[in-house]
Amino acid sequence: MKAIVVKPGEKGATLKDVELKETVGENEVKLRTLRVGICGTDRGIVTGKLSFARPPEGADYLVLGHEGLARAEEVGQNVDLKEGDLVVPVVRRGCGKCLNCKIGRQDFCETGEFIEAGIRGMQGFMREEFVDDAKYLVKVPRDLGELAVLAEPLSNVMKAYNELVFVQKRSVWNCDDSTFGCRKATIIGSGPIGQFFAMVFKDNGFKVTVVNRRDPNQIEDKISRVVGYSFVNTSKGLDDVPESDVIVDTSGYPSAFIPLLRKMKRNGVLLLFGTVGGEKAEITSDLITFFVEYNISVIGSVNASKLDFEQGMTFLSVWKSRYNGVLQDMITKVVKPEETQDAILEKEKGSIKTVIEWSK
């Protein structure tokens, strides 16, 4: 079958024929790949910047792709799916040792011995077909269709938002009408993750501001107006950034979120989501004092459980109706497998989400 492969540590990706013999066993499903999203993690692997990427044991290459959408073609015994169903596969698979992994919360693996499709230790979904255990497959609502390719990035946002709400139970955080309508969230970054954070917070009643070091492009401007959040270009100053109860960083750059901390309200949360390398920042005693005196919580969040995927599917179905055209607009480019190398190596200016279409 054709697949997009890399050799971790080497730059570039190749579309080539690979021989992966996978038979359908009990509780397993053979799947035809329909679409796979491209994200910053894929670009980090292809450019050799992510040192943790590795092929499965015994293999000398890694099939890329963790944002998958596939159609069931052959269903094993004891599987609550039928041929033709659309599914999204969960990315991380547990270590089988720690309690979190044993109860399906491999996103909180304690040993670090998990594997992740298309990232570390497991072949990914940028290939024509694959076989997977049904317990790692999330059924797509009938009305959602190919937009479900957005479910994987959204699942990570759902997990992070759920962590935030859990942590903030440390105090009474609701407003006097029981909602979050008096709370303000500032999202750093306007890529797919930033847009999803904005929509999740908005749907939960928060007043939302998205910031970037530039003006919004045409698509971002449209999304901000439809969803109903403010967009601020921080290169022009921070005066228009409101005091916030939550600051979410999707950039990974300390230079992006540290200047905004003076906009943080007491009992607030700094939610760190972005990951990059190279930039250095100084942690001063004044900053530590600020965190202590203002009762600030700092949360790092990564990955998601199957429950987060399912919650994300529900949100996508609602948004398809509520925010007419926004999800379609987020998929700014669809490429063929033969065009993948260029699409992965460099994100096209003005794009939000690029998707590879394998079959219809």
Side-chain angles (χ1 to χ4, degrees), residues 72-105:
E73 292 204 327
E74 183 181 343
V75 179
Q77 296 179 351
N78 303 319
V79 175
D80 190 23
L81 288 170
K82 62 181 184 296
E83 292 181 16
D85 283 345
L86 299 187
V87 299
V88 169
V90 174
V91 178
R92 181 178 289 189
R93 315 298 165 94
C95 67
K97 300 176 182 178
C98 74
L99 182 58
N100 281 324
C101 287
K102 288 179 179 179
I103 63 170
R105 291 312 304 260

Side-chain angles (χ1 to χ4, degrees), residues 158-212:
M158 295 307 309
K159 184 259 186 82
Y161 179 81
N162 290 335
E163 283 186 277
L164 166 72
V165 173
F166 180 83
V167 168
Q168 287 304 80
K169 289 181 180 179
R170 61 189 173 142
S171 67
V172 178
W173 208 48
N174 297 84
C175 310
D176 60 9
D177 63 354
S178 79
T179 73
F180 291 133
C182 64
R183 298 299 179 187
K184 296 179 181 179
T186 295
I187 317 299
I188 302 171
S190 54
I193 295 297
Q195 299 293 347
F196 281 145
F197 267 115
M199 285 187 263
V200 169
F201 276 106
K202 189 69 181 176
D203 273 28
N204 280 282
F206 289 74
K207 296 177 177 64
V208 178
T209 301
V210 173
V211 305
N212 208 322

